[in-house]
Amino acid sequence: MVKEFLRYVVVGGISFAADFATIVAFEETLLKAFSWGLYAAVVCGFVVGLAVNYYLSLKFVFTSPDYADRGRSLSAFLAFGVIGLVGLLLTELGMWLGIECLGWNYMVVKILVTGVVLMWNYLGRKLIIFR
């Protein structure tokens, strides 16, 4: 399980990079003029990060033969998405707290919040989908 978690951290890092790049791209260009733009950019980043994470998780993390029939069905993808949606809600809450309440830069807040959400996503997916 330790090796699997380490692979998940690497996949999470790649997914985070895609998520973070999407957030910055949307926040600094398309959505900059809107007061709600950052929070919409976070949703866009979530969608990109979720897609990258799902694909890479199936290819590199949850590869045990025990998982051959898990994770590749519509219901498993929906569960993967729901777990991710909870992660998105945690992210949005953390972003709001960090930015609005603490006055921190959104990039710093996103990096900090990602650590908490990484643990939630791994444990949720491991315990619910790939048990």
Side-chain angles (χ1 to χ4, degrees):
M1 190 164 151
V2 171
K3 287 171 65 176
E4 181 182 88
F5 179 72
L6 292 176
R7 287 192 309 263
Y8 190 80
V9 169
V10 171
V11 165
I14 295 167
S15 302
F16 171 77
D19 179 349
F20 192 78
T22 302
I23 290 170
V24 171
F26 277 78
E27 168 59 15
E28 299 297 328
T29 58
L30 299 172
L31 301 172
K32 188 171 185 81
F34 302 101
S35 62
W36 47 265
L38 175 61
Y39 300 102
V42 169
V43 172
C44 294
F46 163 78
V47 171
V48 170
L50 177 69
V52 169
N53 195 287
Y54 180 73
Y55 176 76
L56 293 177
S57 287
L58 291 179
K59 288 290 186 188
F60 301 110
V61 179
F62 300 110
T63 58
S64 166
D66 296 338
Y67 303 145
D69 61 336
R70 297 184 195 138
R72 290 169 172 76
S73 66
L74 177 60
S75 63
F77 178 74
L78 291 174
F80 198 93
V82 168
I83 292 164
L85 186 59
V86 172
L88 172 63
L89 295 173
L90 291 171
T91 299
E92 291 283 11
L93 175 63
M95 294 294 286
W96 180 82
L97 288 171
I99 295 163
E100 303 299 329
C101 298
L102 299 174
W104 294 354
N105 178 281
Y106 76 91
M107 292 181 199
V108 172
V109 176
K110 175 63 178 166
I111 291 167
L112 296 174
V113 168
T114 296
V116 173
V117 174
L118 172 91
M119 292 304 296
W120 157 254
N121 284 340
Y122 175 75
L123 291 172
R125 289 168 181 158
K126 176 69 176 171
L127 298 174
I128 294 170
I129 301 169
F130 299 101
R131 56 188 174 294

